[in-house]
Amino acid sequence: MVNRVKRRVSCFPKATYYKPREIPLHDLEVINLFIEELEAIRLCDLLQVEQEEAADMMGISRKTLWNDLQKARRKVVDALVNGKAIEISGGEYVNSGECNVEFLCKECDHEWESQCNARRPESCPKCSSGSIYRIGGDGRGKRLIENDYCCPKKGRRSEKY
């Protein structure tokens, strides 16, 4: 067996789950999309970077990029056509740290950015409040959605969270 080369990933997703609407997650089959597969789709399909350049950016061969891209497209299409959930996690990658993550303080409405490879801030740099949220969700149950806050685990909007 050949060792897999770790892919360089510059941006992490703002959300790590996608699922069909109004169907509970426990009733769905879940497809796992690796972080590096998402990066391949992001570069080639969203940003429309040429495959040779995308492979260079990820530190892999063009053939490896092509394989990752085809796997990722197959998984996404399977989920869309067959009504499956997509979980974005795992894989073999190295964070290149080029992406920023946006945070919002609930107390003072201060917004700021932090490097995605930095630790999650514990308090707001402006007012020192611990009531901070990652814009788009942080995978820890706290999300800012449409100027409100919710806990997806509880399934309802919650000002207490």
Side-chain angles (χ1 to χ4, degrees):
M1 185 164 160
V2 178
N3 288 340
R4 262 179 68 98
V5 173
K6 290 188 178 187
R7 284 83 163 137
R8 284 193 306 258
V9 173
S10 63
C11 236
F12 289 106
K14 289 190 176 191
T16 57
Y17 265 97
Y18 292 89
K19 67 175 207 63
R21 189 175 188 177
E22 298 180 5
I23 301 173
L25 185 59
H26 61 80
D27 290 341
L28 294 170
E29 183 178 335
V30 177
I31 292 176
N32 188 35
L33 183 66
F34 293 136
I35 300 287
E36 66 268 15
E37 292 171 340
L38 179 65
E39 180 75 347
I41 288 178
R42 185 182 78 84
L43 292 172
C44 294
D45 295 342
L46 181 64
L47 300 181
Q48 298 183 332
V49 173
E50 293 292 326
Q51 287 183 16
E52 189 70 36
E53 185 181 351
D56 288 343
M57 292 169 75
M58 292 182 70
I60 55 177
S61 71
R62 189 175 178 280
K63 176 67 175 162
T64 300
L65 175 85
W66 175 252
N67 290 337
D68 287 353
L69 190 57
Q70 292 308 301
K71 285 181 208 168
R73 287 173 174 165
R74 208 169 315 130
K75 290 177 181 182
V76 170
V77 168
D78 182 24
L80 293 175
V81 170
N82 297 312
K84 299 176 182 178
I86 300 172
E87 176 184 11
I88 304 168
S89 67
E92 297 183 36
Y93 62 91
V94 175
N95 179 3
S96 66
E98 298 170 16
C99 187
N100 287 329
V101 178
E102 297 173 318
F103 290 95
L104 172 78
C105 175
K106 182 179 175 183
E107 297 299 318
C108 70
D109 291 328
H110 177 64
E111 291 185 26
W112 72 96
E113 288 185 351
S114 178
Q115 290 280 321
C116 70
N117 60 354
R119 292 186 52 147
R120 187 180 194 282
E122 294 181 14
S123 62
C124 172
K126 185 175 179 184
C127 73
S128 300
S129 167
S131 185
I132 56 174
Y133 294 82
R134 178 175 164 187
I135 297 174
D138 64 2
R140 296 180 182 156
K142 300 178 191 176
R143 293 190 188 151
L144 169 69
I145 300 174
E146 298 172 12
N147 296 323
D148 200 357
Y149 305 88
C150 76
C151 177
K153 293 177 184 175
K154 295 179 182 176
R156 64 182 188 276
R157 294 191 188 285
S158 173
E159 283 299 316
K160 294 178 184 176
Y161 206 96

